[in-house]
Amino acid sequence: MKLAFFSTKSYDKEFFDTFDNQEIQITYFDGHLYKDTTNLANGFDAVCVFVHDDLDEETIKNLSENGVRLIVLRCAGFNNVDLKAAEKYNMGVYRVPAYSPEAVAEHALALILTLNRKTHKAYNRVREGNFSLERLRGFDIHGKTVGVIGSGKIGTIFASNMMGLGCDVIAYDMYENEELKRKGGVYVSLEELLEKSDIISLHCPLTPETKHLINKDTFKLMKDGVMLINTSRGPLINTIDTVEALKSGKLGYLGIDVYEQEEHLFFRDLSESIIKDDIISRLISFPNVLITSHQGFLTKEALQQIAEVTVKNIRDFEAGIENDNCVKL
Ligand code: NAI
């Protein structure tokens, strides 16, 4: 099986190189896969892609004409793959449905603690010999109400972590998770969650229903000074409305690992470039906003799991096995 590996980073190679052998021969490409780069996959049997590769109908058609039979995603989300086109061109699609949900849940917690106790600012201050405590005041996380939107694998682990800190957890999901209830979480309506939470954390997938779930109307329901955390997908939040909520003080803290227009920015070193996205520049300018560039998954355990499950998906596809990771319409 010849595998064309797109959007390669050094940390991907570190874990996938151990599987590069006669059975699966990997060629790494730094660039993204999209309609104009499909020729790179000429002569390969499969492509391995990540969140910012764009597998629209034209890309899939070109891949199929180039002899590609399989798309393996190194991520859980598959909103970047046109599944209708995959079916039309008889292309197998496999994903990694879970890779250390703990990693993402712990990153959400890191955003909360950093935003609240301002350790990022303290670190810089102390390095410059500034030992003042002015403007570093935080609040006790203990005793606060945390609203979890989407109580799947990550949401439930996150909820449990927050309960460990002494928080009351309320959750909103279409399906109640028994594990969360057993641990002490209470399900409420979305409106009640927005009204009662001191901290709101998003853990639902991006779907037509969840796009811009957080917008000027939902902000109105929230407490003044609320903390909002998004480690899920950028478009869950209407970013323009979020800037307004920050300017008015309605939103007291914003921690995001994902951003609506992130595909033009994230995973690249743009430190010597002119950033043309005025919205992210505005977000960065707020003292109460913390942005990380989609690193929630970035632990060694998660990367190991991604590599192992991807290789299993390739082997199962070759053996004609449609395992649970096979994505269909
Ligand atoms: P999951 O599938 O286990 O849980 C998602 C939950 O969201 C489910 O319980 C589902 O019922 C619920 N849900 C769906 N639509 C909803 C709606 N309209 N309102 C409320 N709840 C809704 O998924 P998992 O593994 O917990 O991942 C959650 C999200 O985390 C993924 O969709 C992905 O976007 C994001 N993610 C982010 C990563 C990062 O590096 N920042 C890495 C991995 C995932």
Side-chain angles (χ1 to χ4, degrees), residues 194 213-224 226 228 237-246 250-251 254:
L194 297 172
L213 179 78
I214 303 297
N215 57 52
K216 61 178 179 329
D217 296 323
T218 40
F219 273 123
K220 278 188 199 139
L221 299 174
M222 296 180 199
K223 284 187 182 178
D224 290 342
V226 63
L228 176 65
I237 292 182
N238 180 322
T239 319
I240 306 268
D241 292 354
T242 303
V243 168
E244 289 309 313
L246 284 160
K250 165 59 87 178
L251 187 53
L254 175 70

Side-chain angles (χ1 to χ4, degrees), residues 76-77 97-99 101 104 149-155 172-175 202-207 209-210 213 231-233 257-258 294-298:
Y99 38 96
V104 185
I149 300 183
S151 57
K153 292 179 283 296
I154 297 171
Y172 169 71
D173 197 311
M174 288 99 70
Y175 306 100
L202 307 179
H203 298 288
C204 56
L206 175 63
T207 63
E209 294 75 42
T210 58
L213 179 78
T231 55
S232 211
R233 283 293 178 265
D257 186 47
V258 287
H294 210 134
Q295 70 177 74
F297 71 98
L298 198 65

